[in-house]
Amino acid sequence: MRRREGVSCCSALVSILCLGMILVKAAGAADSLPENRAQVQVEPVFAKVNGRVITMREFEALYVAAVRQRFYHGKMQEGQAEAVRKEVTDQLIERALLLEEADRLGLKPDAAKIEQEVAGYESRYASSPRWKEQREKLLPGLREQLARQNLLEQVEKIQREIPAITKDEVRAYYDQHNELFTEPEKLRLSVILLKVAPSAQTPEWDSARAEAQEIYLQLTRGADFAKLARARSGDASADQGGNLGYVHRGMLPEGIQNHIDKAQLGVVSEPITTLEGVVLFRLDERVMPKLREFKDVEARARELLMRERQIQAGKESLARLRTAATIEIATPQAKDDKKP
């Protein structure tokens, strides 16, 4: 999986995983709550970040949730478990650092926003028997997680603050990233498709190829493409005489695109076999890529530059916190993850 692009990605994913485990964690904690607080046992420690404890339960819950989310439709391959373990470890460390920074800055959870989110959970699970049964036990844990997430959002917003961007800086960004503001090549095509089911037997495919070859010969002798498309094509564009309109590069199958790249305007292609059947196409117009003028994309360029700088500012702030932190990993399988 692609590496996180900024501090906000960290808290967003951790938030999803944390909130996803609230019902299990809170219910389990409530069911096992001892009558005498002196009986409370200290949970195994997974890691410490500047003395802030990350429990083994937190790590295992997030790890299991991450695995389920990422490999929902398949099994992990060799080496992937360690990669997920490393990513979850990093996320927990970064979360601890950000919460510590929120404390240092004196940030407080937005109580009104938290209650609004709690109300959303109340509404979402109103018909759930388990929610009704466990509601009073679950609400404290839910509010705690929402409060932490709110603090993470606040501190990240502060870390991502950047100086105002000037028009000259936006113009420089535009000049250096012309590819982001260039309209891609557009192609206007007409097609005739003789549909064949992928599971069809060889005779059916041979019959479609023979029919396509006959149509091709008619077209090369001057037959009307639109008329033949309406009469013979199985494509949705048949009613428009086979006119697909404009398509961009990448919208067509690679095999078709390769033929189009070599096509001459107005010349009908020879029959091409595709997954959908046998197709003939005609390239009616080719509009070359066009760089949009700065005045037309200035707002978009400013937005992209601002986002890029905010992400970088968040990364740098988090890197400074991590460099200055004392991080202790208690579990043998994660000892290689001690350093950022």
Side-chain angles (χ1 to χ4, degrees), residues 98-316:
L98 292 174
L99 288 172
E100 182 180 58
E101 181 68 0
D103 289 343
R104 188 187 70 81
L105 295 172
L107 301 178
K108 302 297 180 184
D110 185 333
K113 184 176 181 181
I114 291 169
E115 289 309 310
Q116 184 179 9
E117 292 176 341
V118 169
Y121 275 87
E122 295 263 31
S123 174
R124 188 181 311 168
Y125 298 110
S127 60
S128 168
R130 178 169 174 77
W131 174 261
K132 292 177 181 178
E133 179 185 347
Q134 300 288 337
R135 179 180 177 277
E136 295 305 317
K137 297 177 182 178
L138 299 178
L139 279 176
L142 175 60
R143 285 193 171 92
E144 179 184 352
Q145 292 292 344
L146 292 173
R148 289 180 180 178
Q149 179 58 25
N150 183 262
L151 288 174
L152 289 171
E153 292 171 357
Q154 290 186 52
V155 75
E156 285 178 353
K157 182 177 180 181
I158 292 172
Q159 289 187 328
R160 288 162 62 95
E161 290 178 353
I162 58 173
I165 297 174
T166 67
K167 184 169 184 174
D168 287 344
E169 289 175 316
V170 177
R171 177 67 201 220
Y173 182 83
Y174 166 84
D175 291 338
Q176 294 164 11
H177 299 83
N178 279 175
E179 72 282 359
L180 298 177
F181 311 103
T182 299
E183 294 179 355
E185 176 187 57
K186 292 191 298 185
L187 306 168
R188 186 162 58 83
L189 302 173
S190 294
V191 300
I192 295 175
L193 171 66
L194 304 180
K195 281 193 171 183
V196 182
S199 59
Q201 300 300 309
T202 300
E204 190 172 344
W205 281 98
D206 289 343
S207 175
R209 292 188 186 99
E211 182 182 354
Q213 188 63 35
E214 179 226 327
I215 295 173
Y216 174 71
L217 290 175
Q218 291 183 49
L219 292 170
T220 59
R221 293 169 183 166
D224 184 82
F225 192 104
K227 185 175 180 180
L228 281 173
R230 291 188 181 95
R232 313 282 283 273
S233 180
D235 188 72
S237 63
D239 290 343
Q240 288 75 47
N243 181 12
L244 284 179
Y246 288 102
V247 296
H248 295 289
R249 178 174 294 277
M251 294 175 64
L252 299 170
E254 186 175 343
I256 296 291
Q257 187 68 61
N258 291 338
H259 286 280
I260 291 174
D261 288 342
K262 303 172 185 176
Q264 297 180 11
L265 289 175
V267 177
V268 177
S269 73
E270 293 191 19
I272 303 169
T273 300
T274 70
L275 292 176
E276 295 183 74
V278 185
V279 65
L280 300 98
F281 73 85
R282 185 183 67 199
L283 177 59
D284 297 323
E285 184 181 2
R286 188 191 301 274
V287 180
M288 301 305 291
K290 179 184 177 182
L291 176 64
R292 299 185 65 186
E293 294 186 23
F294 176 68
K295 63 182 179 63
D296 296 327
V297 296
E298 181 179 351
R300 176 60 176 162
R302 181 180 294 276
E303 177 186 341
L304 291 174
L305 176 56
M306 181 178 298
R307 184 184 307 165
E308 186 177 293
R309 289 190 175 180
Q310 287 175 335
I311 290 174
Q312 186 59 33
K315 285 182 177 180
E316 291 173 356

